[in-house]
Amino acid sequence: MLQVNFIKANREEVLKGLAKKHFTESALVDTIISLDDERKKLQFEMDERQSKINSFSKEIGQLMAKGEKWVAEEKKLEVASLKSFLQPVSDQLNIIQNSLQENLIKLPNLPHTSVPEGKTPEENEVIREGGQKPTLSANALPHWDLAKKYDLINFELGNKVTGAGFPFYKNKGAKLQRSLIQYFLDYNTAAGYTEYEPPFMVNEASAYGTGQLPDKEGQMYVATVDNLFLIPTAEVPLTNIYRDEILKEEELPVKMTGYTPCFRREAGSYGKDVRGLNRVHQFDKVEVVQLVHPEKSYEVLEEMLLHVEKLLQSLELPYRILRLCGGDMSFTSALTYDFEVYSAAQQKWLEVSSVSNFESFQTHRMKIRFKADGKTQLVHSLNGSSLALPRIVAALLENNQKEDSISLPEVLWKYFGAEKI
């Protein structure tokens, strides 16, 4: 969440940033400024009246001690009059403060200066590519056919038991999932991340804290009786571990990793782009999250970018890294890099990771702070997928298929217990 003082001091900069993100409700900026001015005016009136009440109350005590009861009674009438005026002002102040908060949470984070202009994914900036695209035979199969051929994933059974987008992994398909998850966790913990296995549901305060609410209500599954949300990513429970906490400067950076299933409604998704594992409603993902000193967050973002890049290199998959344009960024992000792997049988790029710096947008909502030199300030939060499994599995199956087997990258041999499927 943006801070009111920053908005008021940098109105033109805020408007330009919102325009780069193609945010259409920029009039909210002036509404927020106006509401804050009104809030300050009412607060001044409240403080002024309360100061007089406190002063008169002290005088009343002194007058009573002197035996000047009749003068004290007059002062009591003045205090009663001030209090009668105080309550309506207090009520109005609460209304203004609530309205201010409601409008503030509608504003997205501002994009970093390096974010390119643009509105659609086609306008994202490719910053580098790596790996070699394989050359497949003419009869190469897409992953959904390979999954059936080797009895790895049953999409039809998922449709029967739950619905479209909830596949069953079985046999060596299930083992490949476990192998990838364990490898990703080992890779992250070796880099200094502390592993957590968090809850798979969170409360409303947690979903609000990381910016899923009120922006993505329609994309989340909700356990309505208890008002709990199935998580769209481990980022949500992991970052909220430190909600309402004040850290010591020497405790930074905080590095966390965790495996969770992720649940996303993906309302409106249909067609060839969602076939097989391309877009599912429940999927496995390993996440990395960092809470860092604000002066180091962009340095850390580059470190996290290299961390994910080396992980993809170890899987021997062709990949590319994109810097997202303003119109394709998330509500909460200040700068996002997407990783895509090349799916050879489908001849298309598939997104497998996003690495983002949220600056203080999330931590302001969650009140995650640190103290240095007697001063308390907000930390910056960052997160990245390391990695999301479905499209990684799709690319591994398609790119490594042979006539009668599917080869696996060497880093997975000890986890999977074999060199191929």
Side-chain angles (χ1 to χ4, degrees), residues 231-417:
I231 60 170
T233 165
E235 167 205 343
V236 182
L238 290 179
T239 314
N240 272 279
I241 290 172
Y242 289 90
R243 176 157 46 94
D244 296 318
E245 300 283 339
I246 299 178
L247 298 162
K248 297 176 182 176
E249 186 176 17
E250 56 267 27
E251 293 179 281
L252 300 176
V254 174
K255 302 174 69 174
M256 300 172 281
T257 187
Y259 152 73
T260 65
C262 302
F263 305 89
R264 299 184 186 179
R265 292 187 63 241
E266 302 285 7
S269 297
Y270 61 91
K272 63 183 177 61
D273 290 334
V274 303
R275 190 163 183 190
L277 296 174
N278 286 350
R279 192 175 296 277
V280 289
H281 299 306
Q282 177 184 318
F283 60 94
D284 292 321
K285 181 156 70 84
V286 176
E287 195 82 355
V288 286
V289 173
Q290 288 206 43
L291 303 174
V292 305
H293 194 291
E295 293 177 3
K296 297 181 179 179
S297 66
Y298 280 95
E299 176 186 327
V300 171
L301 180 63
E302 293 302 316
E303 291 173 3
M304 292 176 72
L305 201 66
L306 289 173
H307 177 80
V308 175
E309 183 174 18
K310 289 177 181 177
L311 180 56
L312 278 172
Q313 288 171 346
S314 74
L315 294 173
E316 302 169 33
L317 290 171
Y319 67 90
R320 66 181 184 181
I321 307 173
L322 299 89
R323 181 163 29 220
L324 299 195
C325 67
D328 197 34
M329 291 171 64
S330 74
F331 182 84
T332 52
S333 174
L335 178 60
T336 294
Y337 293 99
D338 271 5
F339 284 84
E340 297 179 338
V341 294
Y342 189 71
S343 176
Q346 298 179 73
Q347 298 185 349
K348 64 189 296 185
W349 291 98
L350 302 174
E351 180 198 334
V352 294
S353 174
S354 288
V355 181
S356 300
N357 187 352
F358 305 105
E359 297 183 356
S360 62
F361 190 83
Q362 292 180 330
T363 57
H364 181 41
R365 286 175 171 231
M366 288 183 279
K367 295 182 173 59
I368 305 177
R369 297 148 292 171
F370 75 102
K371 184 171 284 189
D373 301 322
K375 181 183 176 184
T376 301
Q377 56 183 308
L378 295 166
V379 302
H380 280 191
S381 64
L382 304 93
N383 89 283
S385 311
S386 180
L387 290 161
L389 270 70
R391 295 169 188 166
I392 289 290
V393 170
L396 285 173
L397 297 180
E398 292 182 5
N399 294 4
N400 297 314
Q401 61 182 296
K402 305 293 188 291
E403 193 64 36
D404 60 353
S405 65
I406 299 169
S407 302
L408 295 175
E410 187 175 349
V411 290
L412 293 181
W413 293 354
K414 70 174 182 178
Y415 294 96
F416 189 74

